């Protein structure tokens, strides 16, 4: 069926017509269907290989047994907000809950972007930033990233280039620290110096989806920045270290007047009752988070060692994935891994065709990835 001819398409927003839909990591059952494989592992979406906390599993099981799904969830998210407020030492009126942190990025775009508005971000940033911008028919300004041959942070966000692009008419600037798909990060002092340069009328979004994986020395006290910069919005997610990607829960911390605006565009029940419950219990189990971070650290150094031994280079990462340079077209390697039941993320859509990104899995998953990769490279 051809879509181009349909007259209503000329009424679609130009930004939406121009956008490339987000391509998620391939689901396990899709590869199983496609290639008739039964034993598939997914290292493509930076999920927690340990799954959620056992306490979350118990709470979900108990809820499932009660069968209570007929009542609407608490649209205000009172209990979860209370837990988040205690965890960060922040007032509940400064919290916005999201159906994943992706939801929050869209609220920010809906409130602050639109035709004639500008959003700023870096090359090799999270793909959702340009998507949320174009969906609002706003203009995307892309600052150059640090160059591929940069001595310490190749492909990283160039905070000087971002600052140079900060004209007063930029409504929103978005930065992920650490960044996805690169794993690169910014030092706390440099990041704060950048935030201090952002004009007071420009919202600065600090996306901390991977914050728990940062070394203590690189981890900013971004919560304290909120008191100094009323235009700062910090986003956090339960999808990564907390292991709740399938349930969809995230939150933003901001000035109360920003939170008020974001909450106005939120659908009234954007978090379902299981997501609310699981997030509340997950936040209370920081031991599980520490376990995931420790596994990630040891397995990342093992994988990096193996990549070096194979003559491959890896971008510096303080997230739960590594982005590997094969120094040649990586699509055939991606295909070879799929044929062996290993799903990783191709990077062509990010303009990095010689790279693949692999999430750090369990010890067994990583070993399986290594065995498959060595087979593909030897073929
Ligand atoms: C995974 C990720 C998120 C989180 O997405 P959710 O919607 O919370 O699952 C946000 N930002 C970045 C950079 C990510 O990689």
């Amino acid at each position: 069926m051809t879509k181009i001819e349909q007259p209503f398409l000329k009424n679609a927003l130009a930004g939406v017509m121009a956008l490339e839909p987000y391509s998620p990591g391939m689901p396990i059952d899709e590869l199983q269907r496609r290639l008739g494989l039964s034993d598939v592992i997914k290292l493509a979406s930076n999920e927690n290989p340990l799954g959620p906390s056992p306490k979350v599993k118990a709470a979900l099981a108990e809820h499932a047994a009660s069968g209570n799904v007929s009542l609407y969830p608490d649209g205000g998210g009172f209990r979860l907000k209370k837990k988040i407020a205690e965890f960060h030492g922040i007032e509940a009126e400064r919290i916005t809950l999201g159906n994943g942190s992706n939801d929050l990025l869209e609220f920010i775009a809906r409130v602050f972007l639109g035709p004639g508005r500008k959003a700023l971000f870096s090359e090799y940033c999270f793909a959702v930033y340009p998507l949320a911008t174009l969906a609002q028919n706003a203009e995307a300004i892309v600052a150059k990233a640090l160059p591929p041959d940069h001595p310490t942070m190749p492909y990283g966000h160039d905070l000087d280039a971002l600052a140079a692009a900060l004209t007063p008419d930029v409504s929103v600037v978005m930065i992920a620290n650490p960044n996805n798909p690169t794993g690169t990060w910014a030092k706390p002092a440099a990041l704060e110096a950048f935030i201090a340069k952002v004009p007071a009328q420009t919202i600065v979004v600090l996306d901390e989806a991977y914050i728990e994986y940062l070394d203590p020395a690189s981890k900013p006290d971004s919560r304290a920045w909120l008191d100094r910069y009323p235009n700062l919005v910090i986003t956090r997610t339960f999808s990564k270290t907390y292991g709740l990607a399938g349930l969809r829960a995230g939150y933003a911390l901001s000035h109360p007047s920003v939170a008020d605006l974001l909450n106005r565009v939120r659908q009234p029940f954007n978090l379902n009752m299981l997501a609310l419950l699981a997030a509340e219990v997950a936040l209370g189990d920081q031991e599980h988070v520490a376990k995931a971070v420790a596994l990630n650290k040891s397995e990342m150094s093992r994988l990096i060692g193996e990549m070096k031994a194979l003559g491959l280079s890896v971008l510096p990462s303080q997230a739960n994935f590594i982005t590997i340079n094969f120094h040649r077209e990586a699509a055939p390697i991606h295909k070879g891994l799929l044929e062996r039941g290993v799903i990783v993320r191709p990077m062509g859509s990010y303009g990095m065709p010689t790279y693949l990104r692999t999430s750090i899995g369990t010890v067994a998953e990583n070993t399986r990835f290594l065995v498959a990769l060595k087979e593909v490279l030897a073929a």
Side-chain angles (χ1 to χ4, degrees):
M1 205 187 296
T2 166
K3 294 184 196 156
I4 309 302
E5 315 296 333
Q6 300 298 336
F8 48 76
L9 288 179
K10 68 177 187 298
N11 279 333
L13 295 179
V16 176
M17 293 301 283
L19 68 77
E20 284 262 358
Y22 184 79
S23 70
M26 186 186 290
I28 286 178
D29 54 354
E30 183 179 332
L31 185 61
Q32 288 173 330
R33 271 196 313 273
R34 272 212 219 168
L35 299 186
L37 298 172
S38 54
D39 186 13
V40 170
I41 61 167
K42 181 183 173 207
L43 298 170
S45 301
N46 308 335
E47 293 129 331
N48 185 340
L50 298 177
S53 150
K55 292 176 181 157
V56 169
K57 288 189 204 171
L60 289 173
E62 194 182 323
H63 187 99
S66 82
N68 170 23
V69 291
S70 54
L71 301 180
Y72 280 101
D74 174 11
F78 178 83
R79 287 166 58 110
L80 176 56
K81 276 191 184 170
K82 190 160 177 284
K83 279 270 159 44
I84 294 169
E86 282 163 11
F87 184 73
H88 289 288
I90 199 166
E91 299 81 358
E93 61 179 4
R94 296 168 70 180
I95 300 167
T96 309
L97 299 180
N99 189 280
S101 57
N102 197 117
D103 209 19
L104 299 155
L105 298 173
E106 287 180 20
F107 300 161
I108 293 162
R110 226 176 294 156
V111 172
F112 295 102
L113 296 173
R117 302 292 182 90
K118 292 177 183 169
L120 169 65
F121 28 77
S122 175
E123 279 181 301
Y124 314 114
C125 69
F126 187 38
V128 169
Y129 307 161
L131 279 181
T133 301
L134 289 173
Q136 287 302 112
N137 225 22
E139 186 185 343
I141 313 286
V142 182
K144 279 269 178 220
L146 295 170
D149 61 354
H150 190 272
T152 56
M153 210 57 78
Y155 294 94
H157 285 5
D158 182 342
L159 296 174
D160 294 330
L162 279 161
L166 270 173
T167 51
D169 62 346
V170 169
S171 301
V172 180
V173 51
M174 302 190 206
I175 293 181
N177 185 55
N179 182 50
N180 172 19
T182 57
T184 51
W185 67 97
K187 292 202 176 107
L191 193 52
E192 188 184 359
F194 171 78
I195 292 168
K197 283 182 208 160
V198 177
Q201 74 276 14
T202 303
I203 292 291
V204 47
V205 178
L206 182 57
D207 178 344
E208 294 190 330
Y210 300 98
I211 189 76
E212 296 88 357
Y213 297 105
L214 274 172
D215 280 346
S218 309
K219 203 178 282 184
D221 182 6
S222 48
R223 159 69 191 87
W225 296 345
L226 284 170
D227 297 328
R228 300 203 271 283
Y229 308 102
N231 54 341
L232 175 62
V233 182
I234 295 173
T235 59
R236 296 279 187 110
T237 183
F238 289 97
S239 297
K240 307 287 157 60
T241 34
Y242 291 97
L244 305 184
L247 282 174
R248 317 302 301 126
Y251 59 95
L253 305 177
S254 68
H255 190 275
S257 55
V258 174
D260 174 40
L261 295 172
L262 301 184
N263 276 295
R264 289 183 200 197
V265 297
R266 189 176 64 82
Q267 61 153 304
F269 305 104
N270 63 330
L271 272 79
N272 69 66
M273 51 172 63
L274 294 177
L276 286 168
L277 172 67
E280 185 189 328
V281 176
L283 198 58
D285 189 357
Q286 291 299 316
E287 268 176 45
H288 186 71
V289 172
K291 220 168 131 182
V293 169
L295 169 70
N296 187 69
K297 194 175 157 84
S298 62
E299 281 299 283
M300 185 188 286
S301 65
R302 177 166 78 105
L303 282 175
I304 290 174
E306 294 271 2
M307 294 306 112
K308 288 197 175 137
L310 289 169
L312 306 173
S313 51
V314 173
L315 295 184
S317 172
Q318 285 209 35
N320 62 345
F321 55 87
I322 51 173
T323 307
I324 305 160
N325 192 357
F326 292 87
H327 305 283
R328 60 181 162 106
E329 185 63 46
I333 299 161
H334 179 240
K335 184 165 170 280
L337 289 170
L338 288 178
E339 286 161 359
R340 287 161 180 79
V342 177
I343 308 173
V344 299
R345 190 64 152 259
M347 295 286 290
S349 64
Y350 282 98
M352 300 170 73
T354 67
Y355 286 81
L356 295 176
R357 190 195 71 192
T358 181
S359 308
I360 314 291
T362 60
V363 173
E365 285 171 335
N366 298 330
T367 299
R368 166 119 183 244
F369 162 73
L370 287 168
V371 168
L373 183 64
K374 286 173 192 172
E375 274 180 29
V376 171
L377 293 176

